[in-house]
Amino acid sequence: MHIEPEDVGYAAVWKPTPGALSAFPNLKAVFNLGPGVDALMADTTLPKVPIVRVAIGDLTGRMTEYVVMHVLMHHRQQPYLNQSQQNKVWAPKHQWAASEISVGVMGLGTLGRDAADVLARLGFVLPGGAQARRACRVSNVSREHAGLKDFLARTNILVCLLPLTPDTRHILNRSVFSQLNHDSPLGGPVLINAGRGGLQNEADILSCLDDGTLGAASLDVFEAEPLPTQSRFWSHPKVILSPHNAADTDPTEISAYVARQIEQFEAGRPLENVVDLTRGY
Amino acid sequence: MHIEPEDVGYAAVWKPTPGALSAFPNLKAVFNLGPGVDALMADTTLPKVPIVRVAIGDLTGRMTEYVVMHVLMHHRQQPYLNQSQQNKVWAPKHQWAASEISVGVMGLGTLGRDAADVLARLGFVLPGGAQARRACRVSNVSREHAGLKDFLARTNILVCLLPLTPDTRHILNRSVFSQLNHDSPLGGPVLINAGRGGLQNEADILSCLDDGTLGAASLDVFEAEPLPTQSRFWSHPKVILSPHNAADTDPTEISAYVARQIEQFEAGRPLENVVDLTRGY
């Protein structure tokens, strides 16, 4: 069966070449195969059809795994324990309780809320106060939000799961890090970024790790990926990095989701998770 | 104030010298400052008074942290990711979902149930079937329980939180490991022991890691502690070890608990968590 461009009603894409989608004049919807739509948003020739952000159950679970594991590794001094094992040294250090550590999740959307729920179940403190909570909702995060200062001042471990928009680009910078709470047994605040590389000012992260403004960092995303070999992140003793694999999407589950959405749409029911083009995610 | 041995009504101990407690003729109760009472049980001169096993909320939370973190580290291939970072190699591997991995908790007491609850919340499969569940209750575990075979055959990651009794000594041996389920993306079954060193046959663990009967192990406890420098566990590439620090008890919380118990007992109310001397925990 030969398919002409005008026969195509739906496109399922991940970071397509800008302009590529404009070849299909009869598109009814575009499925973005992941939660981050920043690449699509940058395409000025994007057809004026609904864009569905595919952020399904499986992906949420995987992100929660990543966040919970990295919070626990910093909390339980796993880099120190790895080093001790390498040196064949049996030297347990004082271990504090989860209730002594507050974890602030910046970007309380579907992913962030699920991770925060498990962290609370494990006994970590989530920074309280209505204003602080409002400040870290995805829709509110900006450098200027009144609650942000309060939120940061109560946070020992900062988890960032924000979407990348013009408002959030480089929001993870020295000014934000220096407002984090230093007063915990961790020794210094910890940054965990599994959102987008563009959220972070990488020179600031390195200099803040070097001067103690940050105590440690887990980074899954980078401004340039794959991370260049010459990056100082690879060998920095305070960095745990991973190759943008915090939340891979499962091809089987994702295909079933897209098929179900198309079926519903064709039956006249609304699409789920449609991107708001004015806010950009 | 001078205190004579006959003035002592309560003792709070951790692995006291055998015979030491018999110096106090008027003891009313002994508080064991941790969940493992195997050292006390081995003391044939132990006064015939109630022994309280101090296993309080904080300790449960800490053990759950340890179990969840180690399950996640194996599940998410963290040793491979650490190695990749060291080698400055950006090479994400296929990552499977939590729903593809079953975690069997051997020893479903207070600690085991809490850890299992969080693991289920994260999407891991807990081996089902009434018989399998019965087999891993603390009170039922023995090499002979009919459900054990079924439980092991459904388990990809075996978490052991059993008390050490004559029934459970060396229960973690080649026979048990070879019955575990090999059919998972992990490549081989994983052992996580945070119970007692005496539960494990260490020669069997090493030979099973070497021949692939086990894919990996996290060990927090050992037959001899501190673990001797010459032990192969230190440098075994498939082992993540820690210096018996999975669940440190918090001195402040534990003291308050013991004081509260004494107060209640003196007011004529029953003690909590009294050890059953016939079952030995």
Side-chain angles (χ1 to χ4, degrees):
Chain A
M1 173 174 137
H2 183 72
I3 296 176
E4 297 292 337
E6 49 268 29
D7 298 332
V8 174
Y10 300 94
V13 300
W14 180 245
K15 295 189 180 175
T17 314
L21 287 170
S22 61
F24 307 104
N26 297 319
L27 272 188
K28 300 185 216 172
V30 173
F31 295 90
N32 190 66
L33 299 175
V37 293
D38 41 292
L40 275 189
M41 292 297 101
D43 182 353
T44 52
T45 67
L46 202 64
K48 301 276 171 283
V49 299
I51 295 168
V52 174
R53 204 159 49 92
V54 177
I56 51 180
D58 182 62
L59 183 135
T60 303
R62 285 161 188 254
M63 186 58 90
T64 295
E65 291 172 15
Y66 173 90
V67 170
V68 168
M69 180 177 76
H70 281 268
V71 166
L72 284 172
M73 289 197 298
H74 291 289
H75 164 59
R76 293 189 61 95
Q77 309 172 78
Q78 191 55 34
Y80 165 77
L81 293 171
N82 285 341
Q83 199 60 57
S84 299
Q85 177 172 356
Q86 265 181 40
N87 298 338
K88 304 189 181 186
V89 173
W90 180 280
K93 275 194 186 176
H94 167 69
Q95 180 58 55
W96 49 88
S99 59
E100 296 175 63
I101 304 296
S102 65
V103 185
V105 180
M106 209 176 205
L108 284 178
T110 307
L111 302 182
R113 279 196 306 269
D114 191 69
D117 181 52
V118 178
L119 291 168
R121 170 63 182 79
L122 287 168
F124 291 99
V125 177
L126 302 189
Q131 205 181 39
R133 272 200 300 277
R134 268 198 299 277
C136 52
R137 271 189 219 149
V138 172
S139 52
N140 287 338
V141 169
S142 81
R143 266 152 278 215
E144 287 75 33
H145 193 279
L148 183 61
K149 199 180 161 71
D150 182 37
F151 167 75
L152 295 171
R154 295 164 180 260
T155 293
N156 301 133
I157 298 181
L158 178 66
V159 174
C160 182
L161 297 175
L162 288 170
L164 180 59
T165 69
D167 265 356
T168 62
R169 180 169 295 279
H170 282 198
I171 195 168
L172 300 174
N173 56 40
R174 174 173 286 276
S175 158
V176 158
F177 303 147
S178 61
Q179 294 176 64
L180 289 167
N181 187 301
H182 271 69
D183 188 22
S184 88
L186 290 166
V190 174
L191 167 68
I192 298 178
N193 184 15
R196 274 281 177 276
L199 296 166
Q200 67 200 15
N201 180 325
E202 299 192 343
D204 278 10
I205 294 179
L206 283 165
S207 76
C208 286
L209 287 168
D210 289 341
D211 71 15
T213 304
L214 285 175
S218 282
L219 305 174
D220 185 55
V221 289
F222 301 90
E223 295 206 73
E225 294 178 4
L227 183 65
T229 315
Q230 67 272 23
S231 166
R232 280 185 60 213
F233 285 132
W234 286 110
S235 55
H236 201 293
K238 296 178 173 177
V239 171
I240 307 177
L241 67 80
S242 45
H244 201 152
N245 74 339
D248 278 357
T249 34
D250 184 65
T252 311
E253 198 183 341
I254 222 168
S255 313
Y257 178 85
V258 169
R260 210 161 49 236
Q261 288 270 301
I262 292 176
E263 208 170 73
Q264 286 190 14
F265 189 66
E266 292 284 334
R269 288 194 293 277
L271 290 163
E272 293 168 13
N273 287 319
V274 175
V275 173
D276 179 336
L277 297 178
T278 61
R279 63 180 193 184
Y281 63 89
Chain B
M1 173 173 139
H2 182 71
I3 296 177
E4 297 292 338
E6 49 269 29
D7 298 333
V8 175
Y10 300 94
V13 300
W14 180 245
K15 295 189 180 176
T17 315
L21 287 170
S22 60
F24 308 104
N26 298 317
L27 273 188
K28 300 185 216 174
V30 173
F31 294 90
N32 190 66
L33 298 176
V37 294
D38 41 293
L40 276 189
M41 292 298 101
D43 182 352
T44 53
T45 68
L46 202 64
K48 302 277 171 282
V49 299
I51 295 168
V52 174
R53 205 159 50 92
V54 176
I56 53 181
D58 182 62
L59 183 136
T60 304
R62 284 160 189 253
M63 186 58 89
T64 296
E65 291 172 13
Y66 172 90
V67 170
V68 168
M69 181 178 76
H70 281 268
V71 166
L72 285 172
M73 288 197 300
H74 291 289
H75 163 61
R76 293 189 61 95
Q77 311 173 76
Q78 191 55 34
Y80 165 77
L81 293 170
N82 285 341
Q83 200 59 57
S84 299
Q85 179 172 355
Q86 264 180 41
N87 298 338
K88 305 189 180 185
V89 173
W90 180 280
K93 275 194 185 175
H94 167 68
Q95 180 59 55
W96 50 87
S99 60
E100 296 175 62
I101 303 296
S102 65
V103 185
V105 181
M106 209 177 203
L108 284 177
T110 307
L111 302 182
R113 280 196 304 269
D114 191 69
D117 182 51
V118 178
L119 291 168
R121 169 65 182 78
L122 287 168
F124 291 100
V125 177
L126 302 189
Q131 205 182 40
R133 272 199 300 276
R134 270 198 298 275
C136 54
R137 272 190 218 147
V138 172
S139 52
N140 288 340
V141 168
S142 81
R143 267 153 276 216
E144 286 75 34
H145 193 280
L148 184 61
K149 200 181 159 70
D150 183 37
F151 167 76
L152 295 171
R154 294 163 180 260
T155 294
N156 301 133
I157 299 181
L158 178 66
V159 175
C160 182
L161 297 175
L162 287 170
L164 180 60
T165 69
D167 264 358
T168 61
R169 180 169 296 278
H170 282 198
I171 195 168
L172 300 173
N173 56 41
R174 174 174 287 275
S175 157
V176 158
F177 304 147
S178 61
Q179 294 177 63
L180 290 167
N181 187 302
H182 270 68
D183 189 21
S184 89
L186 290 165
V190 174
L191 167 68
I192 298 178
N193 185 16
R196 275 281 177 276
L199 296 166
Q200 67 200 15
N201 181 324
E202 300 191 343
D204 278 10
I205 294 178
L206 283 165
S207 75
C208 286
L209 286 168
D210 289 340
D211 71 15
T213 304
L214 285 175
S218 282
L219 305 174
D220 185 55
V221 290
F222 302 90
E223 295 206 71
E225 295 177 4
L227 183 66
T229 316
Q230 68 272 22
S231 166
R232 282 184 60 212
F233 285 131
W234 286 110
S235 55
H236 201 292
K238 296 177 174 176
V239 171
I240 307 177
L241 68 80
S242 46
H244 200 152
N245 75 337
D248 278 357
T249 33
D250 184 65
T252 312
E253 198 183 341
I254 222 168
S255 314
Y257 178 84
V258 169
R260 209 160 52 237
Q261 288 271 301
I262 292 177
E263 208 171 73
Q264 287 190 14
F265 189 65
E266 291 284 333
R269 288 194 292 277
L271 291 163
E272 293 169 10
N273 285 319
V274 175
V275 173
D276 179 336
L277 297 178
T278 60
R279 62 178 194 185
Y281 63 90

